[in-house]
Amino acid sequence: MTNMGVLLVARFDITGEISDIEKAITLQNEALDLIPDDNIEKIAALWNIGNSYQSRYERTDIMNDLEVSINLHEKVLSATEQDDQSYSRRAGNLGISMMRRFERNYDFSDIDRAVKLQEKSVASLPDGHPLRAACLINLGNALQCRYENSFDTPDIDEAIRVQRQALSLLQESDPDRPLCLTNLGNSLMQRFDQNANMSDINLAI
């Protein structure tokens, strides 16, 4: 059941066929029921199911899927030590989900939590780690999102700082570089709108 669930998720990622992700979730939940609570594989299974609910939410916009995904990922993160190699990815993924929920309900506790989780995601990685740039991009997105709803200057300043840091880690050929440049340009324009500093708009251009 577990392997079939993985294959269905992979096919859903390619085709977007909703029946695949729905069947995957059913199979993953059935497999989860067969795993003892004290089995180390339980955490990985919870993580995978949470990802599947999150994927279905991104496709259908059904709020309950996002809530289930958050609840499952909260359980996984609480069982993950900060020095675990999976901690950064798990914290960052949960942070993205919290930001998505904020975009629906505008509860500032969600975006505050999203920022904290992305900060933890970055902090848990050593300098030079290949995922550091991606985690910095996620942190910049969360800070930018909070700024757009609060207009708190320190948030846009910090967003620009981490976006520049992320950019410095990316090679010219990196597929994440165009997105990072776009995000940084948007942040500079937003700060220009607030303070009318010409250096910001010049850099954005």
Side-chain angles (χ1 to χ4, degrees):
M1 284 188 290
T2 301
N3 291 338
M4 181 59 74
V6 170
L7 292 172
L8 287 165
V9 170
R11 189 166 70 178
F12 169 77
D13 289 339
I14 296 170
T15 68
E17 179 57 52
I18 196 67
S19 62
D20 282 342
I21 195 66
E22 289 178 345
K23 182 63 174 176
I25 288 172
T26 298
L27 291 173
Q28 288 171 326
N29 276 301
E30 289 174 357
L32 182 67
D33 290 339
L34 301 177
I35 302 173
D37 289 340
D38 59 353
N39 190 313
I40 193 171
E41 293 182 4
K42 191 87 169 184
I43 295 301
L46 287 168
W47 172 255
N48 290 334
I49 299 172
N51 287 343
S52 294
Y53 277 105
Q54 186 178 36
S55 293
R56 190 168 69 177
Y57 169 76
E58 298 289 351
R59 179 75 165 76
T60 66
D61 215 32
I62 296 173
M63 194 63 187
N64 184 65
D65 282 345
L66 182 60
E67 295 289 357
V68 173
S69 174
I70 287 173
N71 289 337
L72 290 170
H73 284 163
E74 288 275 20
K75 291 178 181 179
V76 171
L77 191 64
S78 67
T80 306
E81 298 292 337
Q82 290 200 26
D83 59 355
D84 189 297
Q85 62 180 359
S86 299
Y87 184 86
S88 177
R89 180 164 51 90
R90 291 172 176 176
N93 198 301
L94 178 57
I96 291 171
S97 293
M98 299 301 292
M99 187 172 76
R100 293 284 180 268
R101 190 166 71 179
F102 170 75
E103 291 168 347
R104 291 287 298 271
N105 63 18
Y106 295 101
D107 183 340
F108 270 84
S109 66
D110 281 343
I111 193 61
D112 289 343
R113 181 90 195 287
V115 170
K116 284 182 173 23
L117 285 164
Q118 298 300 354
E119 288 173 340
K120 289 180 177 180
S121 177
V122 172
S124 66
L125 293 177
D127 291 341
H129 193 284
L131 293 179
R132 190 170 180 83
C135 292
L136 285 165
I137 290 171
N138 288 339
L139 174 55
N141 289 342
L143 288 161
Q144 189 175 16
C145 178
R146 188 166 67 180
Y147 170 77
E148 289 170 352
N149 290 275
S150 69
F151 298 104
D152 191 4
T153 300
D155 277 343
I156 199 64
D157 289 342
E158 181 66 3
I160 290 169
R161 187 188 72 80
V162 300
Q163 286 164 346
R164 282 174 165 160
Q165 189 178 348
L167 189 63
S168 72
L169 298 175
L170 298 174
Q171 300 293 325
E172 291 288 341
S173 59
D174 195 296
D176 286 336
R177 189 173 175 85
L179 174 63
C180 191
L181 283 167
T182 299
N183 291 345
L184 177 56
N186 289 339
S187 293
L188 288 164
M189 288 177 64
Q190 287 174 330
R191 190 165 70 178
F192 171 77
D193 288 340
Q194 185 184 70
N195 61 21
N197 187 328
M198 288 302 298
S199 65
D200 283 339
I201 196 65
N202 289 336
L203 285 170
I205 295 171

